[in-house]
Amino acid sequence: MFDLELTPETAWALATGGPWPDPSALAGDGHFMALALQEGLKGVGLASPNPPVGCVLVKAGRVLGVGVHTRTGDPHGEVMALRDAEAQGEDLRGATAYVTLEPCCHQGRTGPCTLALIQAGISRVVVGVRDPNPRVDGGGLAILRAHGIPVEEGVLGEACARLHAPFLKLIHTGLPWVSLKLALGSDGSLGPGGQTTPVTPPEVQRLGHALRRASEAIVVGRHTIAVDDPQLTDRWPAPTAPHRTFARVVLDEDGQLPASARLWAPVAGQPVFRGVTGDPAPLRNVEDLQLPPDGRGCSLRHLLHELAARGVGRVLVEGGGTLVRAFLDQGLGDEFHRFQSYTPAGGTPLDLALPTAWQPRGRAHWPGGHWEVWR
């Protein structure tokens, strides 16, 4: 497990599935695939439900063009890299393409990337991980090889699989990737019940917003809104593309939250959804998600399916403790981000049982605590 200083760079790395390979520490194919991963990270939070594929074109050790997929319906990373190189007047014949995910081979909203690479004169393709989409699933590699183009698979494959884990899960299960996040004191507590207890300092809270920027939806329970009255907005400092949508979701099964809650206020590009099981009075600017009850509230699995149907590939569950525990108990979480202060919060310790197969995968520290990721 890596242990790094908490900076904006490490925060973004942990929020997106990292830490990531350092290109400067690698040579050959590994070096250029690490650069392709860096390109792919630029599409996280923007491309869903498509994967944020990164591509780097190289000839004689020199990068000719780079590209990333950042919006469904827009060109994929390979085509963006080809356009980048062509705009600079580069001759692509004989170049190698480094791609984090197998190039597509079917006609969708855009043309097949395999054809674009063949027509550009690419002479070798290096792929991080195979695309499990039934319309691809090795077909892209087979087409390239059938045209006499050598293909190398699995270069930085584990890292590429982490980058594309939300897409891979969506293809296999129809469900989005779920990141769970809690801030706990050294006593394992969120703080005394019924009151707001800051566990992390403001600068760490700001860096924690990397998790929101990496996601397309945030989900909290009613109690979090009742106690903290948050806005749940994406406040990561870097600007984002105009098309980005960040859904704010609160589970308020019976519609108990007042219309005065700050969450309901409209924010451009950040719509609000209310998960309900009954028929509460409608709220202005809020869309209700009708979910079946499951005996403990609303069905979390149905919630995830509703979000996936809206193009959400990454979900952040940010509170409270009861909701995070419910996701864990039902096997619906994919990773857990624990912000642990070295100071006790003063409440009842939270009993969280992480899946036995999960391991600590990354850690960043600040003077008063650390951020640890379990997957």
Side-chain angles (χ1 to χ4, degrees):
M1 181 178 70
F2 297 89
D3 192 357
L4 308 167
E5 181 182 358
L6 183 56
T7 65
E9 292 74 24
T10 55
W12 181 244
L14 293 180
T16 53
W20 300 106
D22 179 3
S24 66
L26 299 170
D29 287 346
H31 170 77
F32 294 114
M33 186 60 78
L35 292 178
L37 278 165
Q38 289 187 343
E39 289 301 310
L41 290 172
K42 298 175 184 177
V44 173
L46 298 174
S48 288
N50 284 0
V53 176
C55 178
V56 172
L57 304 174
V58 178
K59 184 161 68 172
R62 188 170 67 88
V63 173
L64 307 183
V66 299
V68 58
H69 182 55
T70 58
R71 184 178 187 177
T72 300
D74 283 358
H76 294 179
E78 298 95 319
V79 173
M80 295 299 291
L82 292 171
R83 290 182 179 181
D84 181 43
E86 290 164 358
Q88 300 179 65
E90 298 288 2
D91 179 6
L92 290 165
R93 289 172 298 178
T96 295
Y98 293 86
V99 193
T100 57
L101 185 72
E102 176 184 3
C104 66
C105 54
H106 61 280
Q107 178 68 48
R109 295 189 187 182
T110 61
C113 292
T114 48
L115 179 60
L117 294 171
I118 292 166
Q119 292 178 338
I122 298 299
S123 66
R124 179 171 177 256
V125 176
V126 180
V127 173
V129 65
R130 187 172 293 203
D131 185 346
N133 186 332
R135 294 184 295 177
V136 185
D137 198 13
L141 306 182
I143 288 173
L144 293 169
R145 287 172 174 143
H147 282 79
I149 299 175
V151 176
E152 180 79 19
E153 288 187 67
V155 174
L156 296 189
E158 186 274 336
C160 290
R162 279 190 278 117
L163 173 66
H164 296 305
F167 173 73
L168 303 181
K169 181 188 177 185
L170 191 64
I171 291 295
H172 288 304
T173 70
L175 297 175
W177 183 264
V178 178
S179 300
L180 310 171
K181 178 219 169 188
L182 287 175
L184 304 170
S186 60
D187 52 3
S189 164
L190 295 166
Q195 70 183 56
T196 301
T197 305
V199 174
T200 55
E203 59 272 19
V204 173
Q205 294 172 21
R206 285 193 291 270
L207 292 176
H209 273 263
L211 283 164
R212 296 187 184 182
R213 175 56 59 87
S215 307
E216 291 94 34
I218 182 173
V219 177
V220 301
R222 178 187 62 81
H223 185 69
T224 294
I225 303 300
V227 173
D228 297 337
D229 195 23
Q231 289 181 295
L232 299 182
T233 50
D234 169 11
R235 297 194 295 277
W236 185 246
T240 188
H243 73 268
R244 169 168 161 80
T245 299
F246 179 66
R248 298 174 288 156
V249 184
V250 59
L251 302 183
D252 186 21
E253 291 86 353
D254 301 318
Q256 298 181 44
L257 290 171
S260 59
R262 292 201 305 160
L263 171 70
W264 311 132
V267 177
Q270 303 186 48
V272 184
F273 297 89
R274 181 175 60 167
V276 298
T277 57
D279 189 25
L283 289 170
R284 188 178 181 183
N285 304 313
V286 177
E287 180 181 346
D288 282 343
L289 302 177
Q290 290 290 339
L291 305 171
D294 68 355
R296 294 166 290 185
C298 66
S299 169
L300 300 180
R301 184 174 293 275
H302 279 81
L303 169 67
L304 294 178
H305 277 295
E306 287 285 346
L307 293 176
R310 288 164 171 77
V312 172
R314 290 175 180 256
V315 175
L316 172 64
V317 180
E318 198 168 287
T322 300
L323 183 60
V324 168
R325 185 163 49 209
F327 271 91
L328 287 170
D329 290 346
Q330 297 177 44
L332 295 175
D334 295 293
E335 63 180 9
F336 178 49
H337 295 259
R338 178 167 59 201
F339 289 72
Q340 188 93 46
S341 171
Y342 298 149
T343 303
T348 302
L350 192 62
D351 182 20
L352 290 177
L354 300 182
T356 55
W358 286 12
Q359 299 291 330
R361 302 298 184 183
R363 175 175 164 138
H365 60 268
W366 68 91
H370 62 264
W371 171 355
E372 193 169 75
V373 185
W374 289 69
R375 299 187 189 95

